[in-house]
Amino acid sequence: MDAMPISDGLPTNVTAQIRNVTQPKASSTVVCYSPMMITTNGIWQGFNPLEFSLPLFILQTSIIVVTTRFLVLVLRPFRQPRVIAEILAGVLLGPSVMGQIETWAIMVFPQRSLLTLETVAHLGLLYFLFLVGLEMDIDVIRRSGKKALLVAIAGMALPFCMGIATSFIFRHQVSRNVHQTSFLLFLGVALSVTAFPVLARILAEIKLLNTELGRIAMSAAIVNDMCAWILLALAIAISEVNSAALTSLWVLLSGVLFVLFCFYVVRPGMWWLIRRTPEGEGVSDMEVSLILTGVMLAGVCTDAIGIHSVFGAFVYGLVIPTGPLGVALIEKIEDFVTGLLLPLFFAISGLRTNVQKISDPITVGLLVLVFVMASFAKIMGTIIIAALYTMPFREGIALGFLMNTRGLVEMIVLNIGRDKEVLDDESFAVMVLVSVAMTTLVTPVVTGVHRPSRRLVGYKRRNLQRIRHDSELRMLACVHTTRNVPSVLSLLELSNPSKRSPIFIYALHLVELTGRASNMLAAAAASASKQSRSGSASSLPPVTEHIFNAFENYERHTGGVSIQTLAAVSPYQTMHEDVSVLAEDKHVSLIVVPFHKQQTVDGGMEPINPHVRGFNESLLSASPCSVAILVDRGLSAAAVRLATEHHVALFFFGGPDDREALAYAWRMVEHPGVCLTIVRFLPPDYRARSVSGSTYRPSVDSADSRAITISTEGKSELEMDEDYLNEFRARNHGNEAISYSTKMVANSEETVAAIRSMDNNLHELYIVGRRPGEAGSPMTSALEDWMENPELGPIGDMLVSSDFSMAVSVLVVQQYVVAGAPAPAVPAPAATSDPVRQYLSNANQRPAVAASGAYPTSAASAANSRWSGSSGAVGF
């Protein structure tokens, strides 16, 4: 250690300090300090930045975070949880792999730097455990029921006993040079825990969060985690090897007092804080800062007591009530803690894991045997409980493996055990690697074993044209944000729900799965029934709660509507699958989704979330029923919703989508305040053409008493259009709320001009088909070439484009065409770069329409004379 005299005084310049260090002067009083300085004066002065603590720490943090993120990407296709990537990143950077390179070990992760890294890592761990406590809803334990409680107890007691028994038998081989009782206790805790945060993310990833199996696993994991912390506190208290017997008792009593203080002093204080926060306002920044400071104080208290500081942070997080306060705290710190600080803790675990130390094959073999036996005991215990409750055997195995999810808690237990010298390096390394292997197995085993009973749902009412306009309509309304709700409710109001023709709505809040705690439990809370939710409404995320309340209020004040609120937490890439499965399970006829752009103040349209567009396109190609995209351009305004008279226009070019649009408009006509204008667009030579042509045959089952009985056998598209329009006209004869007009248009320019000429101040909503007319029809072909939003089709895209002045809401409808209908003889149009158009190969294959000209030619049909033709607004 270098020394320097105080009498000379310390120069302010760091370089000068070091120069003084190297040239000590004689003096009676000396000050010793480490040459490990904080910041460097730069490489130009001849200093190596990595010899200074701050640059080295920044470099280490960057390397750890980048490596972790890289491994997350590599493991994503294998559906592995992030904790695996984080532990492996640590092992990779530590002495096992990269540490073998001497320069790396000395320069990047030298022994002297680990103290700084470990201090910051434990601060991150402190806040992460606080977040885990916040995630947990204590009420879940009360609500979870006997089944989850028994699964938790069996999944904890059996492996604990099995682990301890096996370890005791082989104690001379496994636990040499360590305190016997403490070793057994630590090993028992490590073997019996279930990592709740990791399990929640696995369940969400493999889409089991909303299932009965997922709910039992989540509830059991929460109970298990609670017990694990109690056992860990016990183990730490008892493991004070060198202390007197009474010391452990004092540690335990102090721990109990701390927990009671948190529950009976801190928790009421938090409730008081929530009550004095005005409705609709968030907690102030100062209050958030004080609460977050409390995390460190709680950690200091438990550390002073003799229990690890993370226990204090966890209990402190647990007593904060779930709801707006919890969500606000999570959103403030979660990304920083989980993205930046937590990987440091796993890296420290990895840096301590030295595979080179695993030398004794007998010890390794026995430790692995102990671990396997405990895991087997946990699976068996879970299967027995599952059998008692007559759950299927496969579900029992799946639940057993889910309860074997390892992760953070086990790493903490192992690290504390190593700090207390209860575990040696060899035991530590083996346990870390075996835990990683076990958690890696969970996802593939559960997805392989758990095959949900997907019954083949056969229901005929997959589109609106197949059901009577006054029969029950089942709709699935998807919303992403609260801004989507008013427009959906306005559309429902226009759809004329009544006692005679009721509408059953499944209101689905779509939440993106980000791996964040703040949205992880949304689905579990939302899937609970209204009755069980009413007692603990605060367990819902605020956005979901607002959406659910809006729909439930609408149901209370409107007759003929029955609404069931649901939430789906899923990545946007697979969200359409969840929606399709739900639609099929609930026998839905129409799915309504919001457009990915929203109206701005100046009337333009701006994209809100680019992922929503991909979701809409995927849903259009994979949906098991008809789909409608709602573009809100004023439909959600209060003035529109309160108006007594609503004007709706339908643009009819022909084809299945336009007939579906007419079927939806038919329901609206029953509404006493709706005035419907039907505008039919026809080519000028329409009268001279025939209606015999390509045979398009949707298999409409005439046995369905509610289906509109139009025989479509051998009919062309045009004939089906005529028949459906004629039926509509006949059924609504004398209804003055309906006006008909015909526009004769030869090409796309005339189509645009005809739509522009309409009075745009009059209508609130335009209804159009996604694929108007026949493929290649001159009336729309030029518009198809310039589409910005192919999911809206040519007419819908034109109506919402920025250069189209009309700010009118648009509903774009796509009809579900029954699979297995004979395809026409003409070849399908070549696939374009538009992914939405490439859905001919899907289950809801839409047979291609004849592309040989707009309408096939021959003698005019008698029905044609019912449409009086001119470009003006003339009656049928």
Side-chain angles (χ1 to χ4, degrees):
M1 183 67 73
D2 295 312
M4 66 169 276
I6 288 196
S7 56
D8 290 313
L10 282 171
T12 52
N13 186 299
V14 177
T15 316
Q17 283 186 32
I18 291 169
R19 201 173 292 124
N20 278 338
V21 167
T22 56
Q23 300 164 356
K25 297 183 177 70
S27 173
S28 55
T29 315
V30 292
V31 172
C32 295
Y33 71 97
S34 166
M36 181 74 179
M37 308 301 288
I38 305 297
T39 53
T40 174
N41 265 20
I43 51 172
W44 303 117
Q45 300 216 20
F47 291 103
N48 178 1
L50 297 184
E51 287 177 2
F52 295 79
S53 61
L54 185 65
L56 183 59
F57 172 71
I58 292 168
L59 180 70
Q60 289 171 338
T61 306
S62 307
I63 289 171
I64 290 165
V65 171
V66 169
T67 310
T68 303
R69 285 290 157 190
F70 174 72
L71 286 174
V72 166
L73 286 174
V74 170
L75 294 175
R76 186 169 287 161
F78 306 102
R79 301 173 87 175
Q80 291 300 330
R82 197 169 83 180
V83 69
I84 298 291
E86 286 168 335
I87 296 171
L88 288 180
V91 174
L92 199 68
L93 296 171
S96 305
V97 184
M98 295 296 290
Q100 298 297 307
I101 306 163
E102 198 175 335
T103 318
W104 175 273
I106 293 168
M107 295 293 288
V108 185
F109 286 100
Q111 202 64 39
R112 62 191 159 81
S113 72
L114 295 187
L115 181 66
T116 313
L117 196 62
E118 212 162 321
T119 306
V120 180
H122 274 82
L123 183 69
L125 185 63
L126 205 67
Y127 277 102
F128 184 75
L129 265 293
F130 168 68
L131 288 175
V132 172
L134 271 178
E135 274 182 60
M136 288 190 186
D137 186 359
I138 304 174
D139 297 331
V140 169
I141 297 173
R142 284 207 298 270
R143 294 200 305 263
S144 58
K146 213 183 285 180
K147 194 193 294 186
L149 211 60
L150 284 172
V151 166
I153 292 165
M156 190 132 198
L158 281 173
F160 188 79
C161 299
M162 181 72 83
I164 283 183
T166 323
S167 310
F168 186 73
I169 294 165
F170 302 117
R171 63 189 180 279
H172 298 302
Q173 288 79 16
V174 177
S175 56
R176 292 165 301 188
N177 315 320
V178 292
H179 187 263
Q180 200 68 57
T181 319
S182 306
F183 176 79
L184 293 180
L185 256 175
F186 266 96
L187 204 61
V189 175
L191 292 169
S192 55
V193 295
T194 298
F196 163 75
V198 183
L199 178 70
R201 283 155 181 78
I202 288 178
L203 286 172
E205 180 69 33
I206 57 179
K207 300 194 184 304
L208 291 180
L209 203 57
N210 256 341
T211 61
E212 180 65 16
L213 180 72
R215 278 193 286 275
I216 293 170
M218 284 284 275
S219 302
I222 288 177
V223 177
N224 186 304
D225 241 15
M226 300 276 192
C227 298
W229 285 109
I230 295 164
L231 280 175
L232 180 59
L234 272 169
I236 292 169
I238 293 167
S239 71
E240 300 299 337
V241 186
N242 305 321
S243 59
L246 274 175
T247 313
S248 296
L249 185 65
W250 286 119
V251 170
L252 279 178
L253 285 174
S254 308
V256 171
L257 277 173
F258 173 78
V259 172
L260 291 173
F261 176 81
C262 283
F263 272 92
Y264 292 102
V265 178
V266 178
R267 192 173 172 85
M270 294 297 170
W271 276 117
W272 172 80
L273 190 68
I274 290 168
R275 278 194 295 272
R276 67 182 283 273
T277 305
E279 185 68 35
E281 282 186 30
V283 189
S284 74
D285 285 351
M286 195 184 87
E287 288 163 343
V288 168
S289 304
L290 287 172
I291 293 168
L292 294 180
T293 309
V295 178
M296 291 186 275
L297 291 174
V300 167
C301 288
T302 45
D303 222 2
I305 287 166
I307 306 171
H308 200 281
S309 55
V310 293
F311 180 76
F314 173 74
V315 173
Y316 183 73
L318 201 61
V319 298
I320 293 178
T322 48
L325 177 62
V327 171
L329 291 167
I330 286 172
E331 286 178 347
K332 292 271 185 196
I333 61 167
E334 184 174 25
D335 291 334
F336 181 70
V337 171
T338 56
L340 203 65
L341 298 183
L342 190 64
L344 299 185
F345 173 74
F346 286 110
I348 287 288
S349 301
L351 289 167
R352 290 171 154 196
T353 307
N354 191 350
V355 182
Q356 305 285 312
K357 294 275 174 74
I358 303 173
S359 53
D360 185 356
I362 296 169
T363 306
V364 173
L366 290 175
L367 269 174
V368 172
L369 175 70
V370 168
F371 191 95
V372 170
M373 290 294 285
S375 301
F376 177 73
K378 188 172 262 200
I379 293 168
M380 285 311 297
T382 312
I383 289 173
I384 290 164
I385 301 298
L388 285 176
Y389 281 93
T390 63
M391 280 169 72
F393 180 68
R394 281 174 171 277
E395 283 203 6
I397 293 177
L399 193 55
F401 269 91
L402 285 169
M403 297 308 288
N404 263 313
T405 307
R406 313 289 170 161
L408 185 83
V409 184
E410 182 162 16
M411 298 307 293
I412 294 167
V413 173
L414 295 176
N415 270 293
I416 294 171
R418 193 178 178 285
D419 289 341
K420 302 270 183 193
E421 295 179 353
V422 172
L423 298 173
D424 56 9
D425 287 350
E426 191 171 29
S427 309
F428 180 82
V430 172
M431 291 300 284
V432 168
L433 295 177
V434 180
S435 300
V436 170
M438 185 70 227
T439 308
T440 310
L441 276 176
V442 172
T443 308
V445 169
V446 172
T447 44
V449 169
H450 179 69
R451 296 196 189 97
S453 49
R454 276 292 285 121
R455 62 190 186 283
L456 284 168
V457 183
Y459 71 102
K460 298 191 179 80
R461 303 167 66 186
R462 290 173 183 264
N463 63 40
L464 301 178
Q465 197 184 338
R466 294 174 67 89
I467 59 177
R468 286 173 55 86
H469 62 278
D470 56 357
S471 63
E472 181 197 70
L473 170 63
R474 285 173 168 260
M475 273 172 70
L476 177 59
C478 301
V479 292
H480 298 279
T481 65
T482 45
R483 279 190 68 174
N484 303 145
V485 177
S487 54
V488 171
L489 292 179
S490 294
L491 185 69
L492 293 184
E493 189 56 48
L494 290 174
S495 307
N496 187 41
S498 64
K499 293 283 189 287
R500 192 166 136 268
S501 59
I503 300 182
F504 199 96
I505 309 289
Y506 296 95
L508 182 66
H509 180 209
L510 298 171
V511 184
E512 184 187 8
L513 173 66
T514 56
R516 291 182 57 156
S518 45
N519 80 358
M520 188 58 61
L521 299 175
S527 59
S529 65
K530 287 180 200 173
Q531 288 76 23
S532 64
R533 273 210 323 263
S534 58
S536 62
S538 61
S539 63
L540 283 174
V543 175
T544 309
E545 198 175 343
H546 287 157
I547 289 170
F548 284 10
N549 287 344
F551 278 104
E552 285 162 11
N553 285 339
Y554 177 76
E555 181 186 20
R556 277 195 292 274
H557 297 110
T558 313
V561 174
S562 183
I563 295 179
Q564 186 180 343
T565 48
L566 303 158
V569 179
S570 179
Y572 273 117
Q573 290 77 12
T574 58
M575 201 177 267
H576 64 279
E577 294 170 14
D578 291 8
V579 175
S580 298
V581 167
L582 181 67
E584 201 154 7
D585 285 347
K586 305 292 187 188
H587 291 207
V588 167
S589 303
L590 180 69
I591 301 172
V592 177
V593 292
F595 187 46
H596 72 277
K597 293 182 181 178
Q598 286 179 348
Q599 192 172 23
T600 54
V601 181
D602 60 355
M605 299 292 285
E606 65 172 11
I608 299 300
N609 186 340
H611 296 297
V612 174
R613 180 178 188 170
F615 160 71
N616 287 350
E617 290 179 343
S618 303
L619 186 64
L620 285 166
S621 62
S623 167
C625 61
S626 294
V627 180
I629 298 179
L630 178 59
V631 184
D632 175 21
R633 302 182 82 184
L635 193 65
S636 56
V640 172
R641 297 180 65 192
L642 296 171
T644 52
E645 197 171 75
H646 305 278
H647 294 270
V648 179
L650 169 73
F651 298 149
F652 194 95
F653 290 81
D657 290 354
D658 281 25
R659 291 196 296 276
E660 189 74 357
L662 180 59
Y664 195 61
W666 198 333
R667 299 192 78 90
M668 292 184 172
V669 169
E670 307 286 323
H671 191 293
V674 170
C675 298
L676 176 67
T677 304
I678 298 179
V679 184
R680 189 177 190 191
F681 292 82
L682 292 170
D685 55 345
Y686 167 72
R687 289 178 174 283
R689 296 190 169 204
S690 154
V691 290
S692 65
S694 62
T695 53
Y696 176 89
R697 304 186 184 95
S699 54
V700 176
D701 190 344
S702 56
D704 183 358
S705 61
R706 289 172 178 262
I708 294 171
T709 52
I710 303 174
S711 170
T712 58
E713 191 62 38
K715 290 191 176 182
S716 69
E717 280 294 315
L718 184 53
E719 285 181 306
M720 288 193 280
D721 293 342
E722 293 291 351
D723 287 348
Y724 198 59
L725 282 161
N726 290 340
E727 170 141 1
F728 175 81
R729 202 164 171 272
R731 296 274 183 95
N732 292 288
H733 185 69
N735 188 339
E736 292 179 2
I738 306 172
S739 61
Y740 307 90
S741 70
T742 307
K743 306 274 186 185
M744 289 294 182
V745 290
N747 52 42
S748 301
E749 288 77 12
E750 290 185 17
T751 303
V752 175
I755 293 173
R756 280 188 192 276
S757 68
M758 293 180 63
D759 182 3
N760 62 332
N761 296 323
L762 184 65
H763 298 104
E764 294 160 18
L765 179 69
Y766 289 145
I767 306 178
V768 297
R770 182 165 173 259
R771 291 292 161 83
E774 295 198 345
S777 162
M779 293 190 289
T780 57
S781 58
L783 291 172
E784 286 181 19
D785 300 335
W786 297 95
M787 283 194 292
E788 277 181 53
N789 305 294
E791 69 271 25
L792 297 181
I795 303 299
D797 180 68
M798 178 195 71
L799 291 170
V800 301
S801 64
S802 54
D803 57 345
F804 202 75
S805 59
M806 298 184 187
V808 180
S809 298
V810 182
L811 186 71
V812 180
V813 183
Q814 172 186 287
Q815 185 178 60
Y816 173 83
V817 178
V818 181
V826 292
T832 66
S833 59
D834 173 13
V836 182
R837 296 192 191 181
Q838 296 173 357
Y839 61 97
L840 291 170
S841 58
N842 287 311
N844 59 332
Q845 181 172 355
R846 304 171 57 125
V849 190
S852 56
Y855 287 86
T857 357
S858 82
S861 150
N864 299 348
S865 58
R866 291 205 172 113
W867 294 82
S868 53
S870 88
S871 60
V874 188
F876 282 53

